[in-house]
Amino acid sequence: MKNLFSKHDKYFFPYRPFLRLVLVIIDLLVISFSLFLVNYSRTNLFSLDSKYLLKLLIPISLGLIIYIITGQYKALSSYVSSKSFYQIIYRNTFLILIILFIGFNFNLKFLSRYESVQLFFVINSLSVGIRVILRDLLLGLRIGNNSSQNKVAIYGAGEAGAQLCASLKTNRKYKIINFFDDDKNLWNRELMGIPIYSPSEINKPNKKYDQLLISIPSLTRNRRKEILESLEGK
């Protein structure tokens, strides 16, 4: 197991309980702020009286219980994916439905139907947005500015190339410089923020990279040979 993780990975392991605590606090603040914002948009009043705080405590407690039971804090913050974002939206939707149910059946008037729609967009925008920022921050700290990084170009800007790029982006040993692809419709566009060029530019002096990784599963043997031959002068 000692070779499974880099030193940089091991550096973050002791802090994972702390990161989970940070996420819990963030979620509690997101629920509180979202409810306050929706309430303020309706009343235009800034009120933090005991009655309002008591009403706020119930949704916050429900949200924390739902998040913990459904495993919101099990995902690694550095590798949170779009699937995790959808799960967050599902949990928040369930929370809003529970709040509506309790409000209408116990006459607590937490939210109107219109306010519940407002809350849906506000709470999900904040929850997902903060996690995207946190993920990018952690990956940036994990990868760092390593001058010894291998500069890599990827031949193939399709699905396989995108998957390879996503995998390499989490490895501090590699830095993705650009893509090359045979499809002229992709030239001078970007994939995951990385430019895509014509294969004719492989040997140009301004395209400096240490490795070229071919990521086209359907590539024919003859085409692969042509690519390798074009690299002989590089």
Side-chain angles (χ1 to χ4, degrees):
M1 292 292 291
K2 65 180 182 179
N3 295 323
L4 186 57
F5 303 105
S6 68
K7 292 181 179 179
H8 224 69
D9 291 319
K10 292 177 181 177
Y11 176 78
F12 281 101
F13 282 146
Y15 298 94
R16 282 183 179 169
F18 173 73
L19 289 174
R20 289 194 187 101
L21 178 60
V22 169
L23 286 174
V24 170
I25 294 173
I26 288 174
D27 284 338
L28 295 180
L29 291 175
V30 165
I31 296 173
S32 303
F33 179 75
S34 299
L35 287 167
F36 168 76
L37 195 63
V38 169
N39 181 70
Y40 181 78
S41 69
R42 175 173 56 87
T43 63
N44 290 324
L45 295 175
F46 181 82
S47 175
L48 290 176
D49 56 27
S50 57
K51 184 178 179 181
Y52 175 76
L53 291 175
L54 182 61
K55 287 177 64 176
L56 194 63
L57 184 61
I58 296 175
I60 290 175
S61 302
L62 286 171
L64 185 58
I65 291 170
I66 291 171
Y67 294 159
I68 292 175
I69 290 177
T70 57
Q72 178 134 312
Y73 306 109
K74 291 181 179 180
L76 299 179
S77 300
S78 300
Y79 304 102
V80 62
S81 64
S82 57
K83 181 180 178 181
S84 299
F85 296 147
Y86 286 122
Q87 290 173 339
I88 290 172
I89 294 173
Y90 297 150
R91 293 179 186 117
N92 286 334
T93 301
F94 183 62
L95 171 61
I96 293 171
L97 292 175
I98 293 293
I99 293 173
L100 284 172
F101 176 81
I102 294 176
F104 286 128
N105 285 276
F106 295 92
N107 198 30
L108 293 176
K109 297 180 180 179
F110 288 121
L111 298 167
S112 67
R113 290 183 177 86
Y114 175 71
E115 289 168 344
S116 66
V117 175
Q118 287 183 307
L119 181 61
F120 173 85
F121 288 105
V122 173
I123 196 172
N124 285 318
S125 297
L126 290 174
S127 297
V128 173
I130 288 173
R131 276 171 169 76
V132 169
I133 294 172
L134 183 60
R135 177 194 64 184
D136 292 345
L137 177 62
L138 290 174
L139 279 176
L141 292 173
R142 180 177 181 273
I143 294 172
N145 294 319
N146 187 356
S147 59
S148 63
Q149 284 180 312
N150 289 326
K151 296 180 179 179
V152 174
I154 298 176
Y155 197 108
E159 183 178 349
Q163 291 175 353
L164 176 60
C165 179
S167 176
L168 292 178
K169 272 192 169 185
T170 63
N171 192 321
R172 64 194 301 263
K173 295 180 181 180
Y174 300 99
K175 181 178 181 180
I176 314 299
I177 302 300
N178 57 258
F179 287 92
F180 296 108
D181 199 278
D182 293 329
D183 187 352
K184 63 181 180 181
N185 294 318
L186 300 178
W187 299 347
N188 299 316
R189 299 182 66 181
E190 292 185 352
L191 175 60
M192 302 176 71
I194 300 171
I196 306 170
Y197 297 112
S198 163
S200 63
E201 301 189 40
I202 284 180
N203 288 322
K204 286 191 175 181
N206 62 329
K207 304 296 184 297
K208 296 181 179 179
Y209 51 89
D210 302 313
Q211 291 178 282
L212 177 67
L213 304 180
I214 300 176
S215 184
I216 306 178
S218 60
L219 196 67
T220 64
R221 181 179 297 180
N222 288 337
R223 182 56 183 148
R224 184 181 297 272
K225 183 179 179 181
E226 289 175 3
I227 295 170
L228 294 176
E229 288 176 350
S230 69
L231 293 172
E232 289 181 357
K234 184 170 175 62

